[in-house]
Amino acid sequence: MTVVGPFGLSVRDQALEADVQAGLAAVEEGLLEATKSDVPFITEAAQHLVRAGGKRFRPLLVMLAAQFGDPHTPGVVPSAVVVELTHLATLYHDDVMDEADVRRGVASANARWGNSVAVLTGDFLFARASHILADLGPEAVRIQAEAFERLVTGQILETAGPRDGRDPIDHYLDVIAGKTGSLIAVAGRFGAMMSGADETTVNILTQYGERLGTAFQLADDVLDIASDSRESGKTPGTDLREGIPTLPVLHLRALADGAHGTDKDRELRDLLAGDLTDDARHAEALAGLRAHPALEQARRDTVRYAEEARATLAPLPECMAKAALEGLCDSVVHRAG
């Protein structure tokens, strides 16, 4: 058994492993090339997170989806570069909004150079992604534009919060479908589409990416609470400190506000609603959530979406690429513990 890529996907087929590894290596070269500028400072800032590494989850999905057509078609690698550049750009912007200090185990761009540079660097990456897209044809441009609209809409919905009467958990799942699911869906779609796979296969892999993307973000929610910085590459409880209500927090609130909520549930809910910029209060809140059933409920939700993604693959022919995509579902669940 071998392992492909930083995400840690196990693959049992040498030919598939070689194809995927070669594709990911080409994507890495493409990312470095796309982030070069005539201005050395822009190159340094744009390559900051590229060189910090990362799971390269989206390019990996592009490479696996491309196995259902011709994975060596010229558009496959550039489309993977586009998806990863777009993702990286959103990280620069997210870290500014969240006032994050650490990303991928290194200082965030905003912590190192300030908010203005971080925002503009994210814009630079979006511009470079658009430049590559232009060579992939109008359909690719349209798909990416629609996904980007969903991504921004998800971010706005998160910022605005649920409207009156809307279940906060349902609202949150809509948010992450836009913020995370949309781009991972594009990864599956681009891989299949660029490789020349038939329309049915393209649709299946798009739906798979959408569901897996939701599971992927829910796993991140669990990691934000349950992991240490060595596992996640960022400071534990970052979302908690910034008052961002991730799924474990929403489950806690629902339980505390319900008929079966206990005094202990309500005490933890009230602690989370307070000022968590204080290190002692933040540590107390983090410890409380780690021991609370709400975290386990979030894990179960992660498993459910991962299993929905796996079920979506059922109509595809049995092959090593399909087995690898099923393995991605297992990897996402494993991340959530």
Side-chain angles (χ1 to χ4, degrees):
M1 183 175 290
T2 54
V3 174
V4 169
F7 193 71
L9 173 67
S10 296
V11 174
R12 297 180 177 86
D13 182 83
Q14 288 185 345
L16 175 59
E17 180 196 5
D19 254 359
V20 172
Q21 291 283 21
L24 290 175
V27 169
E28 210 64 26
E29 291 179 10
L31 288 171
L32 290 173
E33 186 61 33
T35 48
K36 286 180 182 175
S37 168
D38 293 337
V39 180
F41 176 69
I42 295 177
T43 301
E44 181 185 7
Q47 293 187 349
H48 180 62
L49 289 184
V50 174
R51 294 188 181 279
K55 295 174 284 290
R56 301 293 188 258
F57 180 67
R58 292 154 188 81
L60 176 59
L61 180 52
V62 173
M63 295 304 135
L64 290 174
Q67 296 293 321
F68 292 88
D70 178 1
H72 305 117
T73 302
V76 171
V77 168
S79 71
V81 172
V82 165
V83 174
E84 188 67 7
L85 278 177
T86 304
H87 170 58
L88 288 170
T90 66
L91 298 185
Y92 281 82
H93 288 178
D94 282 352
D95 285 346
V96 170
M97 295 184 69
D98 299 343
E99 299 179 4
D101 295 324
V102 178
R103 170 69 71 175
R104 295 184 172 176
V106 300
S108 62
N110 49 297
R112 184 168 178 180
W113 294 295
N115 287 347
S116 294
V117 169
V119 169
L120 291 169
T121 302
D123 293 344
F124 177 80
L125 296 181
F126 283 131
R128 286 297 174 89
S130 298
H131 184 78
I132 297 169
L133 265 173
D135 292 331
L136 297 177
E139 177 69 1
V141 173
R142 184 185 63 80
I143 290 168
Q144 178 74 356
E146 289 174 352
F148 191 51
E149 179 183 344
R150 287 187 61 204
L151 195 158
V152 174
T153 299
Q155 184 66 69
I156 293 171
L157 287 174
E158 179 181 71
T159 303
R163 65 179 184 271
D164 289 344
R166 182 86 198 279
D167 184 307
I169 292 176
D170 288 343
H171 170 84
Y172 181 68
L173 291 172
D174 282 347
V175 166
I176 62 175
K179 282 186 62 178
T180 305
S182 61
L183 195 57
I184 294 178
V186 167
R189 187 170 185 175
F190 273 173
M193 186 177 84
M194 295 297 169
S195 71
D198 63 75
E199 186 175 350
T200 298
T201 299
V202 171
N203 289 336
I204 288 171
L205 290 168
T206 302
Q207 293 169 27
Y208 165 83
E210 180 89 21
R211 288 165 175 76
L212 190 67
T214 296
F216 187 84
Q217 181 57 54
L218 296 184
D220 266 5
D221 286 0
V222 171
L223 279 172
D224 185 63
I225 303 299
S227 73
D228 59 32
S229 57
R230 289 171 297 177
E231 292 176 273
S232 63
K234 58 183 181 181
T235 306
T238 297
D239 291 334
L240 206 59
R241 189 183 294 275
E242 298 304 323
I244 298 170
T246 57
L247 193 62
V249 173
L250 293 173
H251 278 309
L252 168 66
R253 289 179 183 173
L255 183 59
D257 294 342
H260 301 292
T262 66
D263 289 342
K264 195 171 181 180
D265 296 331
R266 288 184 281 273
E267 286 172 10
L268 181 55
R269 176 201 62 194
D270 293 344
L271 175 63
L272 293 173
D275 180 11
L276 296 183
T277 58
D278 177 77
D279 288 344
R281 288 176 60 85
H282 179 263
E284 181 184 355
L286 197 57
L289 262 183
R290 284 173 173 171
H292 197 277
L295 184 62
E296 186 56 38
Q297 179 60 54
R299 284 195 176 100
R300 289 196 293 270
D301 291 335
T302 304
V303 172
R304 176 166 57 88
Y305 275 96
E307 288 305 315
E308 286 180 6
R310 185 198 304 274
T312 303
L313 298 171
L316 295 180
E318 297 301 324
C319 60
M320 293 310 300
K322 179 179 178 179
L325 290 171
E326 292 171 339
L328 272 184
C329 299
D330 296 332
S331 296
V332 167
V333 170
H334 177 73
R335 290 176 69 237

